[in-house]
Structures are given as C-alpha cells and as structure tokens.
Amino acid sequence: MLMVPPMPAMTYRVDNWTTNPSSTFGTALAAPGTANTEGSWTQVLSATAENIYWLHVAGWQNQVAAQARQGFFDVGVDPAGGSSYTEVVANLIVGGAAILSSMGYGKEYYFPLFIPAGSTVAMRHQDSTASVTSYASIVGYGGPGGPERNMVASVSETLGTVTNTTGTSFTPGNAADGSWVSLGTTTSALWWWQLGVQIDSTVKSTRGTYVDLAVGDSTTKEVILRTYLFSTTNEEEGYAGIGHINPGCYRPVPAGAELWVRGRNAVAPDSGFNALAYGFGG
Amino acid sequence: MLFPAHGLSAYTFTVDNWDTNPTSNIGTSVVPGASNVEGSWTQIASSATIAEDCYWMALHVHSGAVASQSRSQILDIGIDPAGGTSYTAAIENLDIASSGPPAGPMGYQFLLPWYVSAGSSIAARIQGSHATAGTVRVAARWWGSPSRPEAAPRGSIAQTFGTIASSAGTSFTPGNAADGSWVSLGTASSALWWLQLCAARAATTLTNEYTYVDLAVGDATNKRIIARTLNLAATTERVQTWPAQNLTFAASYCPIPSGAELWVRGRCDNAPDSGYHATVIGIGG
C-alpha cells in the first residue's frame, strides 16, 4: 500500500558532539554566580547550513551526591547567525541529570522547532546552585525541503509554575496513582508534548517512578505520555526507556486546553517531585 | 509530482507490558537460549492486550548483563495474528548484548513501525551466547487508533542487516580517537524506509569507554552517513546505546532503495575494547 510518510526524510544532521566521544561530550553550560538566575547564552550550533525542523537536546552531569540539584536549560536562536539570541524553548528540566560515566543517561528532549538556515543556536543554564556546570548535547535534523513540505513548529509553551528553579510540585502515589495536579492551560493550539521532571531532595531512592502527562479537565483526562523517571541513592536521575520519546508525543490540543501531571511509585515516594510540560505548535 | 500530505497521527490507544507499579524490573522476563540456541517464545502481549490495530511498537531491552561475563544476545519478536501461541518471527536478531539495567547503563531501545492487527498476541525470544541462560527484561509499548490512518505507517517487511555468528551481529573495530574502517552489513532486498541501529558489545571485561557508531548507505568508495549514536559501557559489563537515534522519527525515517548497501563503523575515545558488533533492522512495506 501507499505509505504516506510522516515527514520528508531528514537528510541534514548537525550536532555539537565533540570530535571524539567522552563522558562530557557536547557543550559545558555554566550556571551564573547567583543561584536561580539565568546564565549567559553559550553557542551550541554555529550557523546552520540548512533548515532545521527537529531538535534532540540532552542534559546531564547536573547531579552531585547529597545535593538537591534543580536545573533548567533554555534554547535560544539568532536567525541572523550572530549572538543575539531569542529564547525559543524555556526551562527544560535537567535537575539531577546523571553523569554519563555512572548511570549513562540523563534528561533528553525531542521536539519540532523550525530554525531557518543560517541561524545560530545557543543554550543557557539556570540552577538552584550557583556556579555549577552541566553538559548539553544537541542534534538538529533538517533537509533541503521548505516549510511547505515539512511539519513546522514555530511556537513553544512551557506549562507549570516556576519557583526558583523548580516546576509545579506533585506527590506520586504509594503503589497507586497520585492525584492529578494542574500545570495550567495552553495559550495556543499545540501538537507535540514533552514532560520534564526532577526531584528536589538531598536524599533520593533507587527506584523508578511513572509520571503521567494528561490533557483534560478536573473530571475527565486523556493521558498523553507516561515517563519512566529513574533515580538512585547517588541523587542521580534520568528518563529511562521508551516512555519519553515516542509516537504518543504527538497530541494536538486547542488553545485553552488544561494539562495535568501525576506520579506513581511502588512504595512511599521521595519528596520534592516537580514538573513542567513543553508544548510545541504553530 | 503528486506529493502526499504530510503529518503525524495522534494515537489514542496505548498499551504496554509495564508493571502496575514501577520497579527496576520493568517489563517481561525472557529466558534466553544458552550456548547459541534460540530460546522459547515468551508472551509480552496477549490478544486481549492488543485490543485494537497497533501501528508502533517500542522496546526497552535491559538487565541482561552479568559482571565479568560476555553475554552476546539477539532478540526476535514474534506475532500470532490468531491470538494464540503459534508465533511467527516478524523482527529478527536485534543485537542486544550485555544490556544494562535501568539504574544504568540502561540497555537498548527500539521503535518499530510494525503493524499488528487487533487480537494478535506478541512474544519475544532470545538467543544467548553464554552457557548459563540468565534472563533479559523486555519492556514494550504499542500505539493504535491513529487520528489519520492514511498517515500511519504500516510496516510489513523487515530485514535484518548483518551476519549473525555466536548470537551477535557483524563485528567491527572502532578506531582509537579516529574513525574505524567501514564494515558492510549487506544490501537491502527491498525498498525500506525505517532503520534501527543495534550497536552492541560484549566481552568478559568492558571498560568505561565511549564510542560513536555510524551507519551509512553507499558503496565501497562513496557513503552517506545516515545515523550516529553513542554506545557506552560500565566496568560491570553493562552496556547501553543512546536511545535517541532509534526513538526519533527524524533519525529513523530514512528511505533506501532495494539493493542499497549499509555500512557500520565506530570511533572510540581510546583503544577500544574487543567485542563490538551490530545489526540493523530495516522496515518497509
């Protein structure tokens, strides 16, 4: 049968990976000398040769044992190819993201965002601890086709309440789903979703936690994603497995839609869970 | 030319074999066959679970590693459209050697646009190299009920690239702070449009090293790189390949014509461990 492709093949791939792989491949992002404030932009992609339609961003090495690290990365773009960046994605959660030489994975996000050819891309780091460094890798996927041939996202929204460097708090259930907590309502129609989760605690357990993102109202909800957050007693965290990046991320919702989060542990949960959701559309 | 409308589909039917409550042992335990013999089929989804036609299947394969042991393993996914236990292998020889646990390094992930009709049952089987079978966990999720069925992929042809020997795919040797030599994985028997790179390693001693693994299409002299992923291991002989290469549409949707030849190579941060091997699963139809 005729297979209608979900998109044209992305024949252009650009990244900030170091020439040789290492435990710190990508770009170091230093948080400023004042906690809970935005850092400076650091370029992660030089002027792109072709249009970019999708980005994969990963953050790691935010973790320090016995510390309650809470971190955000922003993504900025300068379409003129300079260093005057405009924020396009805000507050991607990277708190507690693991060290590659330990857990091997951190906090990854995959989302559509149109970045025209010739643009530079930068990222910046806000952290609950001053003057700390975490690492970011980024891969852009694009191709020669124009916007008329591709799904194009030009709008992003970050849903949830930001306090210092934490998102909306929620409490996972003990061998049961926890209560739904509202992350707020969308301003625009959006069609792609990612979920960010971190644990604001100096003591974490080695365990998995299901974290659900849903759309709906106070009585009726549709689950969009179920993420499998894994943490360790070394205060590391990461998104394990297949719950975070998958076909379920595509879920069109209208402007004014309300998003919700909840969690589920097998036992009494650690304290400090907080989340933000990221919607893309346009 | 007529260019069909593009667009993704929203899937409102989702099922999985995850535990009711989250644990480190997420998914179904599968006992491999020992000493390079196929294991038995273990059901990972019943006919009742696959209540609707499903278009996507994601796999997280983990916890097969054992310290100080070389655990080469390859995974098949079988389907019985009648919902019974007479499984026919649909996807064969995913290279899943020495997969680490969720505590990390966390093993391997795959996203397969494989159409499964409602009422089917689905199973996994594993062939392992070690004389002691051990266990491997397979966590899976399926998506169905697309909002745009005409835009939902319906993979029905699968080809495994690579030569299987001793429960492992084609061997390759990464370079030491340089790209290693390209090694052919074979040619496509039909047109394919979705590729999953199964980059793995197994040895009795693995170091905490990092390796880029590249997949290319081309011939002996000209190649176009179509994927780059990161393989890493811990000194406990646990292995992981970064999931993004396989889980993202942008990286995995890659049409190739019948007759196209695929190649693999690696680039390590130091003198590489021995025991790197790979297969590629191509989906078409």
Side-chain angles (χ1 to χ4, degrees):
Chain A
M1 67 168 288
L2 174 66
M3 186 274 179
V4 180
M7 67 187 82
M10 298 287 114
T11 54
Y12 174 65
R13 180 189 184 280
V14 62
D15 64 45
N16 71 337
W17 296 15
T18 43
T19 302
N20 292 310
S22 76
S23 61
T24 55
F25 84 110
T27 302
L29 297 180
T34 303
N36 301 314
T37 59
E38 297 283 11
S40 302
W41 291 111
T42 300
Q43 187 178 96
V44 293
L45 294 178
S46 58
T48 57
E50 298 191 26
N51 293 336
I52 299 290
Y53 295 94
W54 293 85
L55 288 177
H56 172 259
V57 174
W60 62 85
Q61 201 152 319
N62 186 261
Q63 168 271 355
V64 174
Q67 291 190 14
R69 285 290 189 84
Q70 304 293 278
F72 291 160
F73 283 173
D74 296 336
V75 179
V77 172
D78 181 353
S83 56
S84 297
Y85 301 104
T86 299
E87 180 184 271
V88 293
V89 184
N91 299 335
L92 293 169
I93 282 179
V94 297
I99 298 171
L100 281 190
S101 60
S102 180
M103 280 178 74
Y105 62 100
K107 300 200 168 179
E108 301 184 47
Y109 300 93
Y110 170 63
F111 49 83
L113 194 69
F114 178 65
I115 299 173
S119 300
T120 44
V121 180
M123 295 178 67
R124 64 184 177 188
H125 179 191
Q126 171 179 318
D127 206 282
S128 59
T129 304
S131 305
V132 296
T133 296
S134 296
Y135 289 83
S137 75
I138 186 168
V139 182
Y141 298 96
E148 77 283 0
R149 295 187 60 202
N150 288 276
M151 295 192 68
V152 174
S154 55
V155 174
S156 79
E157 293 183 26
T158 299
L159 284 90
T161 301
V162 171
T163 304
N164 293 322
T165 312
T166 61
T168 295
S169 296
F170 67 100
T171 303
N174 178 349
D177 292 322
S179 299
W180 288 109
V181 176
S182 176
L183 294 171
T185 57
T186 59
T187 302
S188 306
L190 304 170
W191 47 267
W192 186 267
W193 293 96
Q194 292 281 270
L195 178 63
V197 186
Q198 59 189 358
I199 307 171
D200 186 10
S201 175
T202 57
V203 180
K204 300 173 188 175
S205 304
T206 295
R207 66 174 58 141
T209 302
Y210 296 151
V211 186
D212 296 336
L213 175 68
V215 60
D217 56 30
S218 57
T219 55
T220 304
K221 298 172 184 69
E222 289 183 15
V223 174
I224 298 173
L225 291 173
R226 166 162 279 194
T227 288
Y228 180 53
L229 177 78
F230 205 88
S231 59
T232 76
T233 52
N234 204 30
E235 281 65 69
E236 296 178 285
E237 300 171 30
Y239 305 141
I242 51 179
H244 197 65
I245 299 173
N246 57 52
C249 298
Y250 179 74
R251 181 65 65 94
V253 307
E258 189 167 11
L259 276 293
W260 303 78
V261 67
R262 72 177 179 186
R264 183 185 186 104
N265 264 168
V267 294
D270 292 331
S271 62
F273 279 84
N274 63 93
L276 297 171
Y278 314 95
F280 299 84
Chain B
M1 65 175 283
L2 173 65
F3 205 84
H6 293 290
L8 300 170
S9 237
Y11 295 88
T12 53
F13 176 73
T14 306
V15 292
D16 60 47
N17 70 339
W18 295 18
D19 309 270
T20 303
N21 293 308
T23 73
S24 300
N25 295 321
I26 185 171
T28 301
S29 178
V30 179
V31 177
S35 302
N36 301 312
V37 173
E38 286 282 18
S40 301
W41 289 112
T42 299
Q43 189 175 93
I44 58 174
S46 69
S47 59
T49 298
I50 307 299
E52 298 193 26
D53 295 346
C54 290
Y55 295 78
W56 293 93
M57 171 170 50
L59 304 172
H60 177 198
V61 184
H62 63 90
S63 301
V66 177
S68 302
Q69 294 186 7
S70 177
R71 291 260 173 178
S72 289
Q73 292 165 331
I74 47 178
L75 166 69
D76 297 340
I77 299 296
I79 296 171
D80 181 352
T85 57
S86 297
Y87 301 104
T88 300
I91 312 289
E92 295 184 275
N93 298 332
L94 292 146
D95 198 329
I96 54 162
S98 293
S99 56
M106 67 168 163
Y108 306 93
Q109 291 78 38
F110 307 100
L111 179 62
L112 301 159
W114 191 258
Y115 178 75
V116 180
S117 57
S120 298
S121 48
I122 303 173
R125 71 178 177 189
I126 295 172
Q127 172 181 316
S129 63
H130 202 274
T132 303
T135 58
V136 178
R137 290 272 171 179
V138 178
R141 176 168 285 181
W142 295 267
W143 289 265
S145 195
S147 59
R148 295 182 60 208
E150 78 283 3
R154 293 172 63 106
S156 58
I157 298 170
Q159 180 179 345
T160 302
F161 294 82
T163 302
I164 304 299
S166 300
S167 305
T170 295
S171 296
F172 64 98
T173 303
N176 178 352
D179 292 323
S181 299
W182 288 109
V183 177
S184 176
L185 294 171
T187 58
S189 301
S190 56
L192 304 168
W193 42 263
W194 188 269
L195 300 176
Q196 296 280 281
L197 173 58
C198 315
R201 58 174 140 155
T204 55
T205 302
L206 293 177
T207 58
N208 204 171
E209 68 186 21
Y210 303 85
T211 304
Y212 294 147
V213 182
D214 295 335
L215 174 66
V217 60
D219 56 29
T221 53
N222 296 301
K223 298 174 185 67
R224 178 172 68 87
I225 293 176
I226 54 179
R228 164 164 280 195
T229 192
L230 176 70
N231 176 281
L232 59 89
T235 52
T236 46
E237 285 66 63
R238 297 171 171 180
V239 180
Q240 163 188 320
T241 290
W242 247 33
Q245 170 59 42
N246 282 341
L247 298 184
T248 58
F249 303 149
S252 298
Y253 178 67
C254 184
I256 59 172
S258 177
E261 188 169 9
L262 296 183
W263 303 76
V264 67
R265 72 177 181 187
R267 183 187 187 101
C268 190
D269 59 330
N270 53 35
D273 295 334
S274 61
Y276 282 85
H277 38 78
T279 60
V280 168
I281 307 300
I283 305 288

PDB file of all heavy atoms in Angstrom, chain A residues 114-128:
ATOM      1  N   PHE A 114      11.102  24.937  14.023  1.00  0.00           N
ATOM      2  CA  PHE A 114      11.676  25.397  12.761  1.00  0.00           C
ATOM      3  C   PHE A 114      12.751  26.438  13.034  1.00  0.00           C
ATOM      4  O   PHE A 114      12.496  27.468  13.670  1.00  0.00           O
ATOM      5  CB  PHE A 114      10.600  25.983  11.853  1.00  0.00           C
ATOM      6  CG  PHE A 114      11.157  26.510  10.560  1.00  0.00           C
ATOM      7  CD1 PHE A 114      11.744  25.641   9.652  1.00  0.00           C
ATOM      8  CD2 PHE A 114      11.115  27.861  10.256  1.00  0.00           C
ATOM      9  CE1 PHE A 114      12.282  26.118   8.459  1.00  0.00           C
ATOM     10  CE2 PHE A 114      11.638  28.340   9.060  1.00  0.00           C
ATOM     11  CZ  PHE A 114      12.225  27.464   8.164  1.00  0.00           C
ATOM     12  N   ILE A 115      13.944  26.161  12.545  1.00  0.00           N
ATOM     13  CA  ILE A 115      15.073  27.093  12.660  1.00  0.00           C
ATOM     14  C   ILE A 115      15.608  27.294  11.253  1.00  0.00           C
ATOM     15  O   ILE A 115      16.119  26.348  10.632  1.00  0.00           O
ATOM     16  CB  ILE A 115      16.169  26.517  13.586  1.00  0.00           C
ATOM     17  CG1 ILE A 115      15.600  26.292  14.993  1.00  0.00           C
ATOM     18  CG2 ILE A 115      17.375  27.450  13.624  1.00  0.00           C
ATOM     19  CD1 ILE A 115      16.548  25.574  15.932  1.00  0.00           C
ATOM     20  N   PRO A 116      15.466  28.483  10.704  1.00  0.00           N
ATOM     21  CA  PRO A 116      15.869  28.668   9.311  1.00  0.00           C
ATOM     22  C   PRO A 116      17.378  28.536   9.122  1.00  0.00           C
ATOM     23  O   PRO A 116      18.165  28.792  10.031  1.00  0.00           O
ATOM     24  CB  PRO A 116      15.387  30.091   8.994  1.00  0.00           C
ATOM     25  CG  PRO A 116      15.241  30.768  10.311  1.00  0.00           C
ATOM     26  CD  PRO A 116      14.903  29.703  11.305  1.00  0.00           C
ATOM     27  N   ALA A 117      17.739  28.128   7.918  1.00  0.00           N
ATOM     28  CA  ALA A 117      19.161  28.007   7.583  1.00  0.00           C
ATOM     29  C   ALA A 117      19.881  29.309   7.869  1.00  0.00           C
ATOM     30  O   ALA A 117      19.343  30.403   7.656  1.00  0.00           O
ATOM     31  CB  ALA A 117      19.302  27.624   6.110  1.00  0.00           C
ATOM     32  N   GLY A 118      21.101  29.194   8.363  1.00  0.00           N
ATOM     33  CA  GLY A 118      21.897  30.380   8.681  1.00  0.00           C
ATOM     34  C   GLY A 118      21.776  30.831  10.125  1.00  0.00           C
ATOM     35  O   GLY A 118      22.470  31.760  10.547  1.00  0.00           O
ATOM     36  N   SER A 119      20.912  30.193  10.879  1.00  0.00           N
ATOM     37  CA  SER A 119      20.720  30.578  12.284  1.00  0.00           C
ATOM     38  C   SER A 119      21.834  29.991  13.157  1.00  0.00           C
ATOM     39  O   SER A 119      22.373  28.933  12.869  1.00  0.00           O
ATOM     40  CB  SER A 119      19.378  30.062  12.808  1.00  0.00           C
ATOM     41  OG  SER A 119      18.303  30.590  12.078  1.00  0.00           O
ATOM     42  N   THR A 120      22.122  30.686  14.242  1.00  0.00           N
ATOM     43  CA  THR A 120      22.933  30.117  15.304  1.00  0.00           C
ATOM     44  C   THR A 120      22.014  29.724  16.456  1.00  0.00           C
ATOM     45  O   THR A 120      20.944  30.310  16.647  1.00  0.00           O
ATOM     46  CB  THR A 120      23.978  31.119  15.798  1.00  0.00           C
ATOM     47  OG1 THR A 120      23.355  32.395  15.948  1.00  0.00           O
ATOM     48  CG2 THR A 120      25.134  31.235  14.834  1.00  0.00           C
ATOM     49  N   VAL A 121      22.442  28.725  17.198  1.00  0.00           N
ATOM     50  CA  VAL A 121      21.636  28.202  18.307  1.00  0.00           C
ATOM     51  C   VAL A 121      22.499  28.230  19.568  1.00  0.00           C
ATOM     52  O   VAL A 121      23.685  27.865  19.529  1.00  0.00           O
ATOM     53  CB  VAL A 121      21.149  26.775  18.025  1.00  0.00           C
ATOM     54  CG1 VAL A 121      20.314  26.241  19.183  1.00  0.00           C
ATOM     55  CG2 VAL A 121      20.348  26.729  16.721  1.00  0.00           C
ATOM     56  N   ALA A 122      21.899  28.668  20.662  1.00  0.00           N
ATOM     57  CA  ALA A 122      22.622  28.743  21.933  1.00  0.00           C
ATOM     58  C   ALA A 122      21.760  28.159  23.042  1.00  0.00           C
ATOM     59  O   ALA A 122      20.544  27.975  22.883  1.00  0.00           O
ATOM     60  CB  ALA A 122      22.985  30.186  22.265  1.00  0.00           C
ATOM     61  N   MET A 123      22.398  27.843  24.154  1.00  0.00           N
ATOM     62  CA  MET A 123      21.677  27.377  25.339  1.00  0.00           C
ATOM     63  C   MET A 123      22.219  28.104  26.567  1.00  0.00           C
ATOM     64  O   MET A 123      23.320  28.650  26.554  1.00  0.00           O
ATOM     65  CB  MET A 123      21.805  25.863  25.494  1.00  0.00           C
ATOM     66  CG  MET A 123      21.145  25.099  24.351  1.00  0.00           C
ATOM     67  SD  MET A 123      21.319  23.303  24.479  1.00  0.00           S
ATOM     68  CE  MET A 123      20.341  22.971  25.927  1.00  0.00           C
ATOM     69  N   ARG A 124      21.395  28.155  27.616  1.00  0.00           N
ATOM     70  CA  ARG A 124      21.843  28.752  28.873  1.00  0.00           C
ATOM     71  C   ARG A 124      21.276  27.939  30.032  1.00  0.00           C
ATOM     72  O   ARG A 124      20.299  27.207  29.874  1.00  0.00           O
ATOM     73  CB  ARG A 124      21.430  30.228  28.967  1.00  0.00           C
ATOM     74  CG  ARG A 124      19.945  30.465  28.995  1.00  0.00           C
ATOM     75  CD  ARG A 124      19.630  31.958  28.993  1.00  0.00           C
ATOM     76  NE  ARG A 124      18.181  32.188  28.947  1.00  0.00           N
ATOM     77  CZ  ARG A 124      17.619  33.376  28.780  1.00  0.00           C
ATOM     78  NH1 ARG A 124      18.366  34.465  28.629  1.00  0.00           N
ATOM     79  NH2 ARG A 124      16.297  33.486  28.753  1.00  0.00           N
ATOM     80  N   HIS A 125      21.891  28.107  31.177  1.00  0.00           N
ATOM     81  CA  HIS A 125      21.675  27.225  32.320  1.00  0.00           C
ATOM     82  C   HIS A 125      21.284  28.053  33.535  1.00  0.00           C
ATOM     83  O   HIS A 125      21.959  29.024  33.873  1.00  0.00           O
ATOM     84  CB  HIS A 125      22.995  26.465  32.569  1.00  0.00           C
ATOM     85  CG  HIS A 125      22.996  25.511  33.723  1.00  0.00           C
ATOM     86  ND1 HIS A 125      24.141  24.940  34.206  1.00  0.00           N
ATOM     87  CD2 HIS A 125      21.995  25.004  34.493  1.00  0.00           C
ATOM     88  CE1 HIS A 125      23.877  24.143  35.215  1.00  0.00           C
ATOM     89  NE2 HIS A 125      22.569  24.162  35.417  1.00  0.00           N
ATOM     90  N   GLN A 126      20.212  27.677  34.171  1.00  0.00           N
ATOM     91  CA  GLN A 126      19.820  28.225  35.477  1.00  0.00           C
ATOM     92  C   GLN A 126      19.823  27.071  36.465  1.00  0.00           C
ATOM     93  O   GLN A 126      19.332  25.989  36.155  1.00  0.00           O
ATOM     94  CB  GLN A 126      18.427  28.848  35.410  1.00  0.00           C
ATOM     95  CG  GLN A 126      17.865  29.250  36.770  1.00  0.00           C
ATOM     96  CD  GLN A 126      16.486  29.887  36.672  1.00  0.00           C
ATOM     97  OE1 GLN A 126      16.246  30.691  35.777  1.00  0.00           O
ATOM     98  NE2 GLN A 126      15.593  29.532  37.578  1.00  0.00           N
ATOM     99  N   ASP A 127      20.353  27.321  37.652  1.00  0.00           N
ATOM    100  CA  ASP A 127      20.478  26.220  38.589  1.00  0.00           C
ATOM    101  C   ASP A 127      20.172  26.680  40.014  1.00  0.00           C
ATOM    102  O   ASP A 127      20.351  27.855  40.355  1.00  0.00           O
ATOM    103  CB  ASP A 127      21.900  25.642  38.535  1.00  0.00           C
ATOM    104  CG  ASP A 127      21.945  24.185  38.948  1.00  0.00           C
ATOM    105  OD1 ASP A 127      21.905  23.906  40.162  1.00  0.00           O
ATOM    106  OD2 ASP A 127      21.998  23.326  38.047  1.00  0.00           O
ATOM    107  N   SER A 128      19.739  25.749  40.815  1.00  0.00           N
ATOM    108  CA  SER A 128      19.489  26.056  42.224  1.00  0.00           C
ATOM    109  C   SER A 128      20.794  26.229  43.001  1.00  0.00           C
ATOM    110  O   SER A 128      20.781  26.715  44.131  1.00  0.00           O
ATOM    111  CB  SER A 128      18.667  24.942  42.867  1.00  0.00           C
ATOM    112  OG  SER A 128      19.349  23.708  42.775  1.00  0.00           O
TER     113      SER A 128
END
